[in-house]
Amino acid sequence: MHVYDAVVIGAGQAGLSASFHLTRLGVDHVVLDADDGPGGAWQHRWDSLSMHDVHGVADLPDAPAPGDSAERANVVVPAWFGAYERAHRLPVVRPVRVDEVHGEGDLLVVRAGQRSWTTRTLVNATGTWTRPFVPYYPGAETFRGEQLHTADYPGAAHFDGKRVVVVGGGASAVQFLGELAPRTDVLWVTRRPPVWRDHFDAEAGRHAIELVQDRVRAGLPPASVVSVTGLALRPQEQEAARLGVYERRRPMFARIEPDGVRWADGSFEPVDALLWATGFRPALAHLAPLHLRSEHGGIALLQSDADVQTATTALRDPRVQLVGYGPSASTIGGNRAGRAAALAVRGHLREHPLEDADERALA
């Protein structure tokens, strides 16, 4: 049984960055990825999402990101990731869907079905795409129309001739409204009034990341940063703005009925489809046997002396690094976290050397 220095779970932006830096540092590792091919969550995005529409893709280490184009993001980014894996000979194994990680003495065992990998450290880069969040509202099970989440979005043409309610106050909701409003009847509902900005404020972005870091440091689950960074309309969403769809936003309805939604004041809107742009949660269930979560439900990370996005080490088990979690949950954050995690892994390996080199090949 081979004992790796590190196992990376996930080959999205953060996982590839971590693997690049682990390779550069000479750390013996393997990357386990659940998908059939390269691309991380990007390969599952809807076809109408072009590289012109995406909200920024950061460079990978030693590899500039694809530029702005009308090409589909779910084709361009996976091709880029795949070329990157090959160019740097990253040790990616797929498809491997990890079921659980548990400790055995000083080592960690990663299990996927009947297969397992034993390692001294773990870098978790599983992101959020596989855990779409849909809040429950009374009557949801009675709705006779269609309910879809961002993760299932089939493109605007699917909704032609239907009356659609878009739920959510984030960038995805704004983008869906921009696509849908010019071609069908659509209504926007959010829990809180949206915060609009004329342009992206970098200072607000840094402040938002710091707020996320404060929550993670306290062991709280990461929260949305949209209320701090704000929303801005892009040129491709101006037609929807001209049609007034953003101005006609309504607060959240109180319940769902078979043919529509009803508010607390008794008002009712008949609808054919509910599109839940309500975000995602971190995909961390496989780490449950390690008991990393605090009593508040989140995984606390050790504070970083550098950029807050380089906080990656789990407070309750320093063998575990989380990248693309909390303050590093963005493409540029994932890159920074990947490097920080690789350095933390090397530091841990030096502080906790194997007692006998022969343990690397246990019988």
Side-chain angles (χ1 to χ4, degrees), residues 8-234:
V8 180
I9 306 178
Q13 185 109 12
L16 294 182
S17 175
S19 181
F20 172 89
H21 289 292
L22 289 169
T23 300
R24 181 176 60 85
L25 295 173
V27 176
D28 177 40
H29 73 287
V30 65
V31 183
L32 308 179
D33 188 58
D35 286 303
D36 292 328
W42 289 100
Q43 64 195 289
H44 306 297
R45 303 291 178 103
W46 51 99
D47 289 347
S48 60
L49 182 71
S50 72
M51 293 302 294
H52 183 58
D53 294 322
V54 301
H55 293 276
V57 179
D59 297 344
L60 280 164
D62 283 353
D68 189 334
S69 75
E71 298 297 314
R72 284 166 41 185
N74 62 11
V75 173
V76 173
V77 178
W80 177 47
F81 279 13
Y84 189 81
E85 291 178 15
R86 293 188 296 272
H88 295 283
R89 298 183 179 181
L90 301 183
V92 181
V93 179
R94 59 168 60 92
V96 177
R97 187 171 298 278
V98 172
D99 298 315
E100 67 171 23
V101 181
H102 67 268
E104 288 189 1
D106 293 334
L107 301 175
L108 298 168
V109 178
V110 181
R111 297 195 182 279
Q114 299 301 311
R115 307 168 71 185
S116 66
W117 293 259
T118 302
T119 180
R120 296 170 65 192
T121 66
L122 181 80
V123 180
N124 191 82
T126 47
T128 63
W129 186 260
T130 58
R131 282 207 63 207
F133 172 70
V134 176
Y136 176 76
Y137 280 84
E141 67 283 356
T142 71
F143 186 59
R144 289 195 286 259
E146 191 173 27
Q147 297 192 59
L148 296 169
H149 186 271
T150 299
D152 311 307
Y153 183 64
H158 176 84
F159 298 98
D160 285 351
K162 298 179 181 179
R163 191 153 198 254
V164 185
V165 170
V166 176
V167 184
S172 293
V174 170
Q175 183 171 335
F176 293 152
L177 291 162
E179 290 191 9
L180 293 169
R183 60 189 305 157
T184 195
D185 189 7
V186 65
L187 176 66
W188 187 24
V189 299
T190 68
R191 285 193 301 142
R192 293 182 295 271
V195 177
W196 294 101
R197 295 185 183 275
D198 294 332
H199 62 278
F200 178 73
D201 188 324
E203 182 61 33
R206 285 191 293 271
H207 179 51
I209 293 170
E210 289 171 357
L211 291 178
V212 174
Q213 169 65 0
D214 289 342
R215 287 183 60 87
V216 171
R217 187 184 301 122
L220 294 164
S224 169
V225 299
V226 168
S227 60
V228 180
T229 60
L231 297 167
L233 293 179
R234 301 168 302 162

